[in-house]
Amino acid sequence: MACSQTSLLGLLFLFCWASIGKAEYMIYKDRHQPVNVRIDDLMKWMTLAEKIGQMTQIERKVASAKVMKDYFIGSVLSGGGSVPAPQASAEEWVNMVNEFQKGSLSTRLGIPMIYGIDAVHGNNNAYKATIFPHNIGLGATRDPELAKKIGEATALEVRATGIQYVFAPCIAVCRDPRWGRCYESFSEDYQVVRDMTEVIPGLQGDLPANYSKGVPYVAGKNKVAACAKHYVGDGGTHDGINENNTIIDSHGLLSMHMPAYDISIIKGVSTVMVSYSSWNGEKMHANHDLVTGFLKNTLHFRGFVISDWQGIDRITTPPGANYTYSVQAGINAGIDMVMVPYNYTDFINDLTSLVQKNIIPMTRIDDAVRRILLVKFTMGLFENPLSDLSLVDQLGKKEHRVLAREAVRKSLVLLKNGKSINESLLPLPKKARKILVAGSHADNLGYQCGGWTIEWQGASGNITIGTTILDAIKSTVDPSTTIIYSENPDASFVKDNDFSYAIVVVGEPPYTETAGDSLNLTLPDPGPSTIQTVCSAVKCVVVIISGRPVVIEPYVPLMDALVAAWLPGSEGQGVADVLFGDYGFSGKLPRTWFKSVDQLPMNVGDKHYDPLFPFGFGLTTKPMATRSSSSARVVRKEEYCMLSLYLSLLVTWILFRVS
């Protein structure tokens, strides 16, 4: 009996050991297996709760390791201004992200989460990050290779904070500058937008040869998953009203707003975000034909589709009026991951119920989860789920600031240079007796960065590390030159000081989304009065800091020179580089500069096109160094001629003496 019991225990031990051995080897954990094989294996293990968890993205404010574990959450995000602590270091970001990730890894299957952030002009939520010009400025450069380099630098600065996913780039084609997100668009011209999608391989890495169209690609842990947004037509809404209705026929939608998505998918973009807006009255978040039919089936996009912030809530009017219906409509339309971001239990419960009642088919859930897992496997999250501190020195790195400064230089558009052809003011002389710098935007880092910087709506003042335009001017001029800064000087002050010339820097305050919608596009006070006061009394160059063209026609005759600087970001030195001639002006208008808002919408190619400055306009100047060398060549030529004449006379005199 004892022997039989021993044999039985031995068999039981062998059975348990064999079971444990099998449990230790799961195909989806084997990096040597093909990705599709790993996905198939993992899907077999997953319960409905685990699948729905993968489809859920929550805000970091409601996330914790316990929440990640208990609800199998697939993704966390930082909304605008949502940070681990004020002025948080890269190390603090990494530690926070890893804490959430450890919760995900402690689940039964250990599926890693993916953390997303709005890095729309650099890692703009993070203190000390390099803030690049907003997209409208990059569109003015007409330099796709520069955009790619900015993508590469942004990827490193995002990874420096432990984050693997960015909600960028915005590839909207802004057709009306009254739209509060117009600065997030590269141009009114779809071809310029299409060209600038080169930022995607910058963020994600270059595709390997013969890579399949539509398959997401992220080249390792120094790169990030990108997101093409906002699908589709968000830049064409009626009257430029944010989240409004885009009224256009199919041909117009496909020819104007779709080309940038097609090329983004060809370049391996990992995710696509759906727009709040509607197309001919139908909410994009509920548009099955465009999300599933066209994006997934026609364009063969195989990454995942993500909603915008509370995007499914806005399917109904008012938002959230029938949340269960919104979940049903959004998921059935083809949205794979939902940016909840707070009430995740409501979303999970409603989606679970809808699946159990067969209102949302299980095939739709499986399609969504496969897409999410494809991105996670492709980018190597299963192999490298935790971030380390090896990249923290990339945040605000000197080389990235040098790149941003270059981007600023190339983005500046010179609209006027002199009151006549023979009276050019730019480039400015560095050596002058006394220079006036005026305007609300001359010494305000937050204003020159614009929205989506540290805070969602942006902010005023020294909100991060960078160089204001005033500081840049001070570091550029000759040491003997006196700089006087007065934000809004009165007429007597300007006249009494006998300034050599003035630099006036004015523009829009920071804004994002609906808060930036404007029907009048006027410069806020005291901008106009500052221009009039200064430019009426002294030679002046006016630098406009704005996210779009604004009303300036009444003031242009007063100005000696006019520069569109857009929203240049943290490296204001790039503005001074060009004003003072270390580099020449080369930027071209990425959009039409109107005379009056009554003309809007007005875009290049329209029948009644009558702009103040047309699309593509931009005066050029040569660097002072080039001018100096050119002058030197002239001097040398003159000297040569004089020497030849002298020798000729000398020979004549000698011959005369000999004879």
Side-chain angles (χ1 to χ4, degrees):
M1 185 69 178
C3 184
S4 298
Q5 286 178 336
T6 302
S7 300
L8 188 60
L9 287 170
L11 288 171
L12 187 60
F13 171 79
L14 288 171
F15 176 77
C16 291
W17 181 85
S19 299
I20 292 170
K22 288 181 180 178
E24 285 180 345
Y25 177 76
M26 294 181 173
I27 294 172
Y28 76 88
K29 292 184 177 182
D30 186 349
R31 70 172 67 195
H32 301 294
Q33 293 289 340
V35 168
N36 285 332
V37 172
R38 298 176 75 182
I39 293 171
D40 288 341
D41 181 63
L42 181 51
M43 292 285 289
K44 293 174 184 176
W45 290 92
M46 295 177 73
T47 64
L48 177 60
E50 288 165 331
K51 291 177 179 179
I52 289 175
Q54 285 300 301
M55 298 170 67
T56 309
Q57 186 180 63
I58 65 174
E59 223 285 332
R60 55 156 291 280
K61 293 176 183 175
V62 297
S64 68
K66 187 175 189 305
V67 167
M68 303 302 291
K69 180 180 180 180
D70 292 349
Y71 293 92
F72 314 107
I73 300 296
S75 183
V76 180
L77 84 150
S78 276
S82 180
V83 299
Q87 299 186 3
S89 66
E91 291 86 349
E92 288 175 291
W93 278 98
V94 169
N95 292 337
M96 177 194 69
V97 174
N98 280 346
E99 184 65 21
F100 299 145
Q101 189 69 282
K102 288 172 184 175
S104 296
L105 298 177
S106 69
T107 57
R108 182 177 70 98
L109 298 174
I111 303 172
M113 66 89 187
I114 185 170
Y115 197 107
I117 199 164
D118 285 286
V120 297
H121 62 145
N123 191 6
N124 46 258
N125 265 16
Y127 185 72
K128 293 186 179 179
T130 307
I131 306 298
F132 294 93
H134 268 296
N135 284 355
I136 189 170
L138 298 186
T141 71
R142 301 293 203 278
D143 191 340
E145 189 60 33
L146 176 65
K148 182 178 180 180
K149 291 177 182 176
I150 289 171
E152 292 169 350
T154 299
L156 286 170
E157 296 213 12
V158 169
R159 282 288 193 167
T161 54
I163 295 169
Q164 320 101 336
Y165 176 26
V166 298
F167 307 126
C170 176
I171 55 173
V173 181
C174 176
R175 302 292 287 174
D176 193 323
R178 291 173 292 186
W179 185 38
R181 305 192 80 151
C182 200
Y183 65 78
E184 296 184 55
S185 167
F186 292 111
S187 178
E188 71 186 43
D189 178 14
Y190 76 87
Q191 187 60 53
V192 173
V193 177
R194 190 176 186 275
D195 291 345
M196 298 304 280
T197 59
E198 196 62 13
V199 70
I200 291 170
L203 291 164
Q204 298 192 155
D206 290 315
L207 292 180
N210 302 317
Y211 202 74
S212 299
K213 179 191 174 183
V215 178
Y217 179 75
V218 181
K221 59 181 182 178
N222 288 355
K223 297 294 183 178
V224 292
C227 179
K229 66 181 188 183
H230 308 84
Y231 186 83
V232 59
D234 52 332
T237 57
H238 182 64
D239 289 340
I241 299 171
N242 192 43
E243 305 181 24
N244 202 14
N245 189 25
T246 298
I247 304 168
I248 192 171
D249 61 18
S250 296
H251 173 74
L253 186 77
L254 297 181
S255 62
M256 177 65 64
H257 297 282
M258 197 66 76
Y261 286 95
D262 187 25
I263 193 67
S264 296
I265 291 164
I266 289 171
K267 292 178 179 180
V269 73
S270 294
T271 73
V272 170
M273 184 183 291
V274 182
S275 176
Y276 287 130
S277 58
S278 303
W279 178 46
N280 294 334
E282 183 176 357
K283 291 279 189 180
M284 280 304 310
H285 274 75
N287 194 317
H288 179 273
D289 289 344
L290 282 175
V291 176
T292 296
F294 198 84
L295 179 64
K296 292 183 176 181
N297 296 341
T298 301
L299 296 183
H300 306 293
F301 175 60
R302 288 181 56 192
F304 68 80
V305 176
I306 187 169
S307 81
D308 208 332
W309 178 281
Q310 295 180 330
I312 63 169
D313 304 50
R314 288 164 161 82
I315 290 173
T316 60
T317 304
N322 186 341
Y323 189 68
T324 302
Y325 168 75
S326 294
V327 174
Q328 174 188 334
I331 300 301
N332 277 338
I335 295 172
D336 304 310
M337 181 181 284
V338 174
M339 195 182 292
V340 178
Y342 297 117
N343 299 323
Y344 56 90
T345 54
D346 291 346
F347 170 73
I348 289 170
N349 291 338
D350 281 358
L351 182 52
T352 301
S353 175
L354 288 165
V355 173
Q356 290 172 340
K357 293 175 181 177
N358 294 319
I359 296 172
I360 294 177
M362 197 64 205
T363 52
R364 174 74 272 275
I365 301 299
D366 286 344
D367 172 62
V369 177
R370 288 190 69 89
R371 291 168 176 275
I372 293 164
L373 293 178
L374 177 60
V375 171
K376 290 184 177 183
F377 275 118
T378 300
M379 65 191 301
L381 266 185
F382 281 79
E383 285 68 52
N384 297 291
L386 293 172
S387 302
D388 57 39
L389 301 177
S390 62
L391 294 175
V392 295
D393 63 342
Q394 298 294 318
L395 191 68
K397 189 178 179 181
K398 180 181 178 181
E399 289 83 352
H400 299 164
R401 294 188 182 278
V402 170
L403 177 64
R405 182 173 168 179
E406 176 190 352
V408 174
R409 291 195 296 263
K410 291 181 175 179
S411 71
L412 302 179
V413 180
L414 181 57
L415 299 175
K416 180 179 180 179
N417 190 17
K419 291 183 178 178
S420 71
I421 296 175
N422 300 318
E423 289 185 86
S424 61
L425 179 63
L426 299 174
L428 298 168
K430 294 179 182 179
K431 192 168 186 176
R433 194 180 62 80
K434 190 190 297 184
I435 301 171
L436 171 64
V437 179
S440 54
H441 289 56
D443 192 29
N444 195 313
L445 193 61
Y447 276 15
Q448 73 187 45
C449 290
W452 294 113
T453 311
I454 304 302
E455 300 288 345
W456 174 44
Q457 291 290 333
S460 175
N462 294 324
I463 59 175
T464 188
I465 303 299
T467 303
T468 68
I469 294 169
L470 175 62
D471 286 339
I473 293 168
K474 289 178 177 178
S475 69
T476 302
V477 298
D478 189 87
S480 65
T481 299
T482 300
I483 301 288
I484 303 293
Y485 173 61
S486 178
E487 186 172 325
N488 187 28
D490 59 35
S492 60
F493 176 84
V494 180
K495 290 175 183 176
D496 293 346
N497 272 278
D498 189 27
F499 292 107
S500 304
Y501 58 82
I503 302 170
V504 180
V505 190
V506 294
E508 297 184 296
Y511 55 79
T512 59
E513 302 188 42
T514 303
D517 286 356
S518 173
L519 294 177
N520 55 48
L521 293 177
T522 54
L523 281 172
D525 293 329
S529 64
T530 304
I531 293 172
Q532 290 172 321
T533 299
V534 175
C535 295
S536 297
V538 63
K539 284 187 176 182
C540 73
V541 53
V542 175
V543 179
I544 303 292
I545 305 293
S546 67
R548 55 205 165 182
V550 291
V551 175
I552 56 170
E553 187 185 31
Y555 323 115
V556 173
L558 293 170
M559 307 170 188
D560 293 275
L562 173 61
V563 176
W566 315 113
L567 298 169
S570 61
E571 305 313 302
Q573 190 66 50
V575 177
D577 285 343
V578 184
L579 288 180
F580 291 96
D582 291 326
Y583 295 82
F585 281 93
S586 60
K588 304 298 179 185
L589 283 181
R591 55 181 319 99
T592 300
W593 204 297
F594 57 87
K595 295 176 180 177
S596 164
V597 290
D598 296 333
Q599 297 175 293
L600 299 177
M602 178 177 63
N603 295 281
V604 62
D606 288 354
K607 186 179 293 185
H608 304 291
Y609 191 66
D610 183 29
L612 180 62
F613 300 106
F615 169 83
F617 179 80
L619 302 173
T620 59
T621 61
K622 292 183 178 179
M624 288 294 285
T626 302
R627 291 181 172 216
S628 299
S629 62
S630 176
S631 300
R633 283 194 297 273
V634 171
V635 170
R636 285 194 293 272
K637 184 177 181 181
E638 290 173 350
E639 289 173 344
Y640 175 79
C641 292
M642 290 297 292
L643 181 62
S644 297
L645 179 61
Y646 173 78
L647 289 172
S648 177
L649 290 170
L650 180 63
V651 169
T652 302
W653 180 80
I654 292 170
L655 290 173
F656 173 76
R657 295 283 297 188
V658 169
S659 65

